[in-house]
Amino acid sequence: MKQQTNTIQTDDSVQQLLEALKKQNELYKQVLAGLGPIAEKSKVENRRGVLKFSKKEILQMPTNYRNVFATNDMIIHYRLRKDGVYEARFHRQGIDIEVSSKDLTKLKQKFIEKLNNYDGSPKRKKRNHNEKTFGEYAEEWLNIKRVTTKQSTYKEYVRMLEHDILPTFGKMGATEIDRSMLQNYLLVYVDKGTLRMAHKLFLILRCIFDMVADDYNISSPMKKVVVPNYQSKSGTAFTYEEEKTLVHHCLANLKKDTSHAFLVLLYAGLRRSELASLKIIDGTWLECETSKERMGKNVVKRKIPFTPMMKRMLPYIDFKKAKNVNLNTLQTTMKRLFQNHHSHELRHTFISRCKESGVSGEVVSIWAGHSLTGTITTTVYTHYSDEFYLKEAQKVDYMQLDFNT
């Protein structure tokens, strides 16, 4: 009887345990059921990423944005909402674009379409009343350059600012201008193929924004702006036939200042900027101030003797006209006559002809206004006489032509 009673108690205990386990299992199911929607919601809402554009898609963008997006300089983030719709927003550098789609490919296409329709008018920050404009900083920078650089260099800075930079940024607050505006501005010149101009403008903007950054204790917006490297062309001398063509053109157009300037550059080897300082001495020498000397150094004058080639031109050259020639007109005239040459290559030609004629290399460097290289004997202790220069000049007699028009 006692054994039967123990068996019944054991069965009751097992039954109670099973009931407890069953209740616990039901409780777990309820908990998991409650966590399910939360987990799914979190999973969906955390699905974020970055739009990556293919080369084909980048080519569909406006020209001024292609390079920027191609280098991932502007990153477009997207998220997948719980309703299954992808959403991308871009609110930077004054650009406001929002697009959405259930398909990522369509999302990118919508973004490109909005970018193409974007009017390019950034929403600017409101300028503080006391904040200086970019134009005021540019003027301050020019005042410094006016007394620290040569006059010709200063004038070039003024020209580029007034013609290219100030019309775009002059009236804007200095801190209103951001990296994107500057990058897109310079890319316009890059797309035109004027890399040299883009590089010059880049250097000016960088200098001015260094002043802005220092005054406001901010990072310069030019810090991350990039332009392609520009490698200047070394230039080539004119061929003998090209030289003949140029001389005949000049003799046939003596009413033009450019004709007289071309002949001086060709047969004296001056730089364009040195024309304004030229002077004739004793009817035998042409003197000028070497323009490559930096501001703050003594003015260096040099004399170039008249060679037989120059002497043939003397009856036709009006040195006053050559001295007062407009340098921009000089450049455009040369490009019209010889598309593959620029006026500085007349200097290349003079130096090449002198060396071909057997003139001492050191003497040619002195006539050209180049720094001498070599031992101290050459650079310090050698002083050639005028008689020696005149004797060397007589060697430059390589073209016997009838120059009469």
Side-chain angles (χ1 to χ4, degrees):
M1 187 72 176
K2 184 178 181 180
Q3 183 178 0
Q4 185 178 3
T5 303
N6 290 338
T7 302
I8 294 171
Q9 290 176 345
T10 301
D11 290 341
D12 290 341
S13 298
V14 171
Q15 187 65 31
Q16 290 175 359
L17 179 61
L18 290 174
E19 288 294 332
L21 288 173
K22 185 177 179 181
K23 289 181 180 179
Q24 190 179 54
N25 189 39
E26 289 295 329
L27 181 62
Y28 283 154
K29 286 182 178 181
Q30 292 176 11
V31 171
L32 289 174
L35 290 176
I38 298 174
E40 286 300 315
K41 182 178 180 181
S42 176
K43 181 180 178 182
V44 171
E45 288 189 343
N46 286 331
R47 289 186 63 180
R48 301 174 183 272
V50 175
L51 292 182
K52 295 182 178 180
F53 297 99
S54 66
K55 291 183 179 179
K56 183 178 179 181
E57 289 168 335
I58 289 173
L59 289 175
Q60 297 172 13
M61 296 179 179
T63 306
N64 57 325
Y65 288 115
R66 288 177 188 172
N67 291 342
V68 181
F69 281 103
T71 57
N72 288 326
D73 198 37
M74 286 187 179
I75 298 175
I76 313 302
H77 294 278
Y78 73 84
R79 70 179 182 125
L80 179 59
R81 301 191 315 233
K82 61 182 180 180
D83 59 359
V85 175
Y86 290 100
E87 184 179 73
R89 298 178 180 179
F90 186 81
H91 302 291
R92 288 175 58 197
Q93 290 90 27
I95 302 174
D96 296 304
I97 294 180
E98 295 186 9
V99 290
S100 59
S101 175
K102 289 189 176 181
D103 182 81
L104 267 180
T105 302
K106 290 182 180 179
L107 184 75
K108 289 194 289 183
Q109 285 300 321
K110 284 187 175 182
F111 184 87
I112 294 172
E113 288 174 10
K114 281 210 171 184
L115 192 63
N116 278 302
N117 293 326
Y118 181 66
D119 62 7
S121 302
K123 295 181 179 178
R124 299 173 182 170
K125 297 178 293 183
K126 188 175 181 181
R127 182 164 66 91
N128 188 302
H129 180 71
N130 296 321
E131 180 186 348
K132 292 165 66 174
T133 65
F134 175 85
E136 290 173 319
Y137 271 103
E139 184 179 1
E140 183 180 339
W141 182 77
L142 280 176
N143 287 336
I144 297 171
K145 291 301 175 182
R146 182 172 54 83
V147 296
T148 57
T149 60
K150 293 182 303 180
Q151 188 67 14
S152 58
T153 305
Y154 170 74
K155 286 183 178 179
E156 180 65 6
Y157 288 149
V158 172
R159 187 191 67 80
M160 286 191 287
L161 276 164
E162 291 182 348
H163 182 269
D164 295 282
I165 300 177
L166 292 179
T168 301
F169 301 116
K171 295 182 179 180
M172 294 179 65
T175 60
E176 284 184 273
I177 305 167
D178 60 31
R179 179 194 57 78
S180 178
M181 295 178 192
L182 294 165
Q183 182 69 78
N184 292 333
Y185 169 77
L186 292 172
L187 286 178
V188 171
Y189 290 89
V190 173
D191 291 337
K192 289 179 181 177
T194 54
L195 296 183
R196 185 165 181 259
M197 176 58 75
H199 187 68
K200 285 183 175 182
L201 296 173
F202 170 84
L203 294 176
I204 291 176
L205 288 167
R206 188 175 66 181
C207 290
I208 295 175
F209 277 105
D210 280 347
M211 297 170 62
V212 176
D214 187 61
D215 282 358
Y216 289 93
N217 194 28
I218 59 176
S219 179
S220 170
M222 287 296 295
K223 189 175 181 180
K224 295 294 184 178
V225 172
V226 294
V227 291
N229 291 329
Y230 169 75
Q231 186 172 2
S232 59
K233 298 178 181 179
S234 58
T236 56
F238 279 54
T239 65
Y240 286 93
E241 285 302 315
E242 288 173 334
E243 182 179 342
K244 292 177 187 177
T245 300
L246 177 62
V247 170
H248 284 299
H249 167 82
C250 292
L251 296 181
N253 295 274
L254 292 175
K255 291 183 179 180
K256 297 181 179 180
D257 293 354
T258 53
S259 296
H260 302 274
F262 284 146
L263 293 174
V264 171
L265 296 176
L266 177 60
Y267 292 119
L270 271 63
R271 301 177 180 92
R272 287 171 298 160
S273 56
E274 294 169 344
L275 285 169
S277 66
L278 71 81
K279 184 166 60 175
I280 307 304
I281 300 176
D282 300 330
T284 306
W285 306 83
L286 188 151
E287 183 186 79
C288 71
E289 295 178 2
T290 299
S291 66
K292 281 293 183 179
E293 294 300 318
R294 294 188 178 274
M295 188 75 173
K297 291 188 176 182
N298 293 330
V299 174
V300 176
K301 294 184 178 181
R302 72 177 191 274
K303 295 192 304 182
I304 303 99
F306 288 159
T307 65
M309 298 303 299
M310 173 63 94
K311 289 177 180 178
R312 291 192 182 99
M313 296 294 105
L314 289 179
Y316 308 104
I317 297 177
D318 184 332
F319 287 99
K320 186 176 180 180
K321 288 185 176 182
K323 185 174 183 176
N324 297 321
V325 70
N326 183 296
L327 298 184
N328 290 329
T329 303
L330 195 69
Q331 282 288 76
T332 55
T333 303
M334 175 58 72
K335 279 296 179 184
R336 188 166 60 250
L337 295 172
F338 299 95
Q339 292 185 358
N340 297 324
H341 283 297
H342 51 80
S343 57
H344 189 70
E345 289 175 318
L346 297 176
R347 178 173 164 82
H348 287 248
T349 306
F350 170 77
I351 293 172
S352 299
R353 298 290 188 264
C354 287
K355 290 188 175 182
E356 290 171 351
S357 299
V359 178
S360 164
E362 290 177 10
V363 171
V364 175
S365 293
I366 293 170
W367 291 350
H370 289 156
S371 299
L372 292 175
T373 58
T375 65
I376 191 171
T377 305
T378 300
T379 59
V380 177
Y381 290 103
T382 301
H383 304 280
Y384 294 111
S385 65
D386 285 353
E387 289 77 15
F388 180 73
Y389 286 141
L390 292 172
K391 183 178 178 181
E392 288 292 287
Q394 292 306 307
K395 297 178 181 179
V396 188
D397 189 6
Y398 54 86
M399 190 182 293
Q400 301 295 331
L401 288 175
D402 179 9
F403 288 132
N404 292 322
T405 56

